[in-house]
Amino acid sequence: QSALTQPRSVSGSPGQSVTISCTGTSSDVGGYNYVSWYQQHPGKAPKLMTYDVSKRPSGIPDRFSGSKSGNTASLTISGLQAEDEADYYCCSYAGSYTYVVFGGGTKLTVL
Amino acid sequence: QVQLQESGPGLVKPSETLSLTCTVSGGSVSSYYWSWIRQPPGKGLEWIGYIHYSGNTNYNPSLKSRVTMSIDTSKNQFSLKLSSVTAADTAVYYCAKIGSGGARMDVWGQGTTVTVSS
């Protein structure tokens, strides 16, 4: 059982927007502004998509946006494209002892 | 542009020690914090621990008693040892660079599959 809770799957049509939620506690998501999101295509390594809740690494399109409210973080993907179909994992800092915890992952299907 | 490459045995016997190495190219192993993450077949990601060349380490509490990480600056590599392995340790193991500011992995290796079986 993962420390952070994500929906198992979400779906959307090309051009639409989808939001993936990530629920934790005040000891992780709610306590720090250090939430990151990773995209993983089958058989590939994860790729950092957003960090520090809402920042994007260089090269990541602004279609990907992160946010947080209380103990729940979200990743919104707008203007869905076929290549966005992948698994998405949230990750949060959880203090110096635990360091980081991951969500169980969400499979995004582009219809 | 930092790149990472994991290496090590793909098959380990139960009760033995899993040993993996991550080779850093395009940057110095002395410049950043480094992490290991694993992913059991069909499951999610699990953080194993991190290391800095200064000797600073931090391990997942659930694995702490079995994990040792080290750095070899002469070879620009860092390593993972996981002792007393069982089938539950079968996974793809990734090495990763921790981004400046911490709490995120901004460069990942391609991953290496380790199977624990007799």
Side-chain angles (χ1 to χ4, degrees), chain A residues 9-57:
Chain A
S9 64
V10 297
S11 63
S13 299
Q16 289 186 332
S17 294
V18 295
T19 297
I20 302 172
S21 62
C22 170
T23 302
T25 68
S26 58
S27 297
D28 38 63
V29 174
Y32 310 94
N33 289 321
Y34 294 126
V35 176
S36 53
W37 287 89
Y38 300 87
Q39 176 192 65
Q40 186 180 36
H41 287 109
K44 300 295 187 183
K47 178 182 180 181
L48 179 66
M49 304 304 285
T50 67
Y51 66 97
D52 292 355
V53 177
S54 60
K55 297 178 181 176
R56 278 185 306 275

Side-chain angles (χ1 to χ4, degrees), chain A residues 4 35 84 87 94 98:
Chain A
L4 306 179
V35 176
D84 298 333
D87 293 326
T98 307

Side-chain angles (χ1 to χ4, degrees), chain A residues 64-97:
Chain A
F64 293 85
S65 62
S67 62
K68 190 186 85 166
S69 177
N71 295 338
T72 298
S74 299
L75 175 71
T76 297
I77 309 171
S78 59
L80 268 179
Q81 300 180 2
E83 57 262 37
D84 298 333
E85 184 162 295
D87 293 326
Y88 290 84
Y89 292 90
C90 62
C91 178
S92 174
Y93 181 69
S96 59
Y97 182 66

